[in-house]
Amino acid sequence: MLVSCAPMPSHHRLARLLPLCLAVSAAYAADAPASFVTSAETRPAAFEMSWTPLRLPNGDRSALFGGSYLVAVNEDWGFGPSVYGAARGNYGGVFAAGLTAQRRWRLSGDSHLALGLYAGAGGGLSSEQIRYGGGLMLRPELSLRTQVGNWYSGLALSHVRFPSGNVKSSSIALVLGRSDSFASFAPSDAGRLGRSSGRSGMGFDEIALSAGVYLPRKGAKTRSGQPSARRMYTAGADLRQYLAPGSWWGLEASGAAKGGADGYMEILGTAGQDWALGTPNLRAGLHVAAGLGGGGNVATGNGWLLRAGPSLRWLAPWGGSVRLEGGWLRSASGGFSAPYGRLSLALPLERRARDDSFWQLEEGVVRTQTFYAAVQQLPSMSYKNGSSASIGQIGLLMTRELKPWLYGAAQAGSAAFGKAGAYSYGLFGLGLQTPLWANQWRAGAELLVGAAGGGGVAVGGGAVMQMEAWGQWEGRGDWDRLRLRAGLGQWRTMKAGTQSSAVYSLAVGYAFGTMAP
């Protein structure tokens, strides 16, 4: 069976991997059964981090710490999701998520110029002096980078603006990135047997849904200085990549779902190690996490959080795993600290999530995964001050087929239009979909639950749900990865009697095949 490997643009310094790619392809052609398909496309990609100083309208100084994952669409352009969070001053809890488009020009063998534009939504702590308006955020950037190996760094001229608010600032930003690759199957290969020597997609091995609780210490106070010792319940999700059996790193996001802290959100990087307890299926270990969090009147100061403690993981016979974690969380400033517990249900995305197959050649069934940029309209939302108005949201949606008719979904975003700047949400759940008809059309429905809050929106404790029916057009030929989707549904709080609203959505997506274990 013949396998093709797309040439890698030289400006990402990945062209040296082409001989290895061809060698692997030749090996597969020699021994792969005709029923197997292999990864037919590898694109350059990059992880980028940035530090953007801000001068706020009241004269305070803050900074945004940002992260992006960019995938090349041709020799010059890359696109991908980005998230920014406040990491300086007393503004912990200011978050924004959206998409970045980037154009690069190679200047020499080790340097390049990049022009990027981020568009997304978010906000946080506001006052009469600081207003985020509807929540729409724009961040253009012009940067000069120097590369050493797979890593690059540089300086950028950046500008942050909330067009419907008064937050705007220009500054010199710092950029740090690492070149990577994005391997995937064609969406049309879904349902076929696949074989690969490496990870596909973004490279994560496992996804988990979690529920947790924080128990603030006695004497804890809110940002306004009032006593606050109420339990705070959270809901969230995380992604893990296993570096070796029992050793991992990952990304995690969660928000308050109960306890009077609606609007609280945290995004953390995690790492850990566990060891077998007599049997390979039961493992105990330690984990640490660090990142940004705040909102919901929780006093996290500049936003930096550190969390650590023991962990217990059970690898279930049906392929997933159950995790139990505990420990202590503490903010770097602001005074928030609390013991916590978290229970997670994890599902494998790659076979490396299972220790007994970590070093084996990857084989499995190809499933379609899609990333969407979505715009949603909620026409009638109630606020805590008794008023009512519409909210326009910008969000990111990820779906992954579990069966040809069943898929999992995770969605996160923030208000961008209206008066609810700083309102954010995170949802996850399951959906049903039909087979294709007329070779390009599909319909489906999904039910998502999660946490939301901020921006003065009345959401009870923060637990919300969303039901949506949708129709989708799927591209063909050179546009076979393009998806256009429209949906109609209902959003509601899970606390009885709070509120509900219709929801209308439009989304554009990028689809690719990944190999399910």
Side-chain angles (χ1 to χ4, degrees):
M1 179 178 180
L2 294 179
V3 182
S4 64
C5 292
M8 302 178 186
S10 59
H11 67 270
H12 285 270
R13 299 183 63 82
L14 291 173
R16 63 182 183 275
L17 295 180
L18 185 57
L20 176 60
C21 184
L22 294 175
V24 172
S25 298
Y28 284 168
D31 65 5
S35 58
F36 280 93
V37 293
T38 59
S39 178
E41 183 178 70
T42 301
R43 295 175 178 266
F47 289 97
E48 282 192 7
M49 295 179 291
S50 64
W51 179 267
T52 307
L54 292 180
R55 188 173 184 87
L56 298 173
N58 63 354
D60 286 354
R61 293 187 179 275
S62 184
L64 295 179
F65 180 75
S68 302
Y69 181 75
L70 305 173
V71 177
V73 295
N74 58 31
E75 292 277 344
D76 304 311
W77 286 92
F79 294 86
S82 299
V83 61
Y84 292 89
R88 182 185 174 192
N90 193 32
Y91 293 92
V94 175
F95 284 102
L99 289 175
T100 293
Q102 188 181 94
R103 171 70 158 90
R104 293 189 179 188
W105 294 268
R106 174 60 57 185
L107 301 179
S108 67
D110 295 323
S111 64
H112 65 270
L113 188 70
L115 178 64
L117 175 63
Y118 161 87
L125 182 68
S126 59
S127 64
E128 292 184 0
Q129 293 80 31
I130 302 175
R131 301 185 303 276
Y132 298 96
L136 177 65
M137 172 181 154
L138 302 175
R139 182 185 179 274
E141 171 193 283
L142 178 64
S143 58
L144 178 64
R145 295 98 170 273
T146 299
Q147 189 157 345
V148 178
N150 288 333
W151 291 89
Y152 58 88
S153 61
L155 297 175
L157 295 173
S158 71
H159 180 74
V160 173
R161 175 181 290 268
F162 287 79
S164 57
N166 67 348
V167 176
K168 56 183 178 180
S169 179
S170 298
S171 63
I172 303 294
L174 303 177
V175 179
L176 176 66
R178 187 182 189 278
S179 297
D180 194 28
S181 61
F182 183 91
S184 65
F185 297 86
S188 58
D189 289 331
R192 301 176 65 185
L193 293 175
R195 174 176 285 183
S196 173
S197 61
R199 296 178 174 91
S200 55
M202 293 181 66
F204 289 105
D205 301 321
E206 188 174 74
I207 185 170
L209 307 178
S210 64
V213 58
Y214 288 122
L215 305 171
R217 60 180 175 81
K218 187 176 181 179
K221 296 183 181 300
T222 66
R223 293 186 68 108
S224 57
Q226 300 299 313
S228 175
R230 296 181 62 183
R231 293 183 179 183
M232 182 172 69
Y233 297 88
T234 64
D238 68 70
L239 293 163
R240 277 188 182 182
Q241 183 187 95
Y242 286 85
L243 306 175
S247 177
W248 73 85
W249 75 275
L251 299 172
E252 173 194 329
S254 59
K258 185 180 179 182
D262 61 276
Y264 175 84
M265 181 179 178
E266 59 188 25
I267 300 177
L268 308 173
T270 66
Q273 173 73 53
D274 58 24
W275 299 269
L277 292 178
T279 170
N281 286 355
L282 184 63
R283 308 180 65 87
L286 299 171
H287 71 280
V288 296
L292 299 171
N297 204 22
V298 178
T300 59
N302 59 20
W304 287 104
L305 303 175
L306 178 64
R307 196 178 71 194
S311 65
L312 189 67
R313 181 165 61 114
W314 176 61
L315 302 177
W318 44 268
S321 61
V322 178
R323 309 187 210 137
L324 180 63
E325 298 173 350
W328 197 276
L329 175 139
R330 185 177 183 86
S331 62
S333 63
F336 179 65
S337 63
Y340 79 97
R342 191 170 71 130
L343 182 65
S344 303
L345 173 63
L347 300 175
L349 299 175
E350 302 270 357
R351 290 183 63 189
R352 286 174 177 81
R354 306 288 298 190
D355 295 334
D356 58 2
S357 63
F358 192 87
W359 305 114
Q360 297 178 16
L361 184 70
E362 291 283 321
E363 294 182 358
V365 177
V366 177
R367 298 297 186 194
T368 301
Q369 187 166 319
T370 308
F371 284 98
Y372 296 89
V375 177
Q376 293 184 323
Q377 185 72 23
L378 286 75
S380 179
M381 294 287 283
S382 299
Y383 290 76
K384 294 178 181 179
N385 62 9
S387 64
S388 179
S390 66
I391 294 178
Q393 300 177 160
I394 292 178
L396 302 175
L397 169 66
M398 182 186 78
T399 66
R400 180 181 170 108
E401 285 186 354
L402 304 175
K403 300 290 184 180
W405 50 272
L406 177 70
Y407 65 92
Q411 183 176 354
S414 297
F417 310 102
K419 63 175 186 178
Y423 171 81
S424 296
Y425 63 92
L427 306 169
F428 48 82
L430 295 172
L432 302 174
Q433 62 183 14
T434 67
L436 280 176
W437 73 83
N439 211 32
Q440 283 190 295
W441 296 91
R442 192 189 302 271
E446 62 194 30
L447 173 63
L448 308 179
V449 298
V457 180
V459 292
V464 299
M465 64 185 297
Q466 180 175 299
M467 300 164 285
E468 185 177 29
W470 53 265
Q472 178 170 277
W473 175 87
E474 303 184 2
R476 285 292 176 264
D478 293 340
W479 299 91
D480 66 334
R481 295 174 181 247
L482 178 64
R483 302 289 185 265
L484 300 177
R485 171 172 152 163
L488 170 64
Q490 185 183 53
W491 172 96
R492 63 181 302 116
T493 59
M494 295 177 68
K495 183 177 180 180
T498 305
Q499 69 162 315
S500 65
S501 173
V503 57
Y504 311 98
S505 68
L506 294 174
V508 56
Y510 178 82
F512 53 93
T514 61
M515 196 165 54

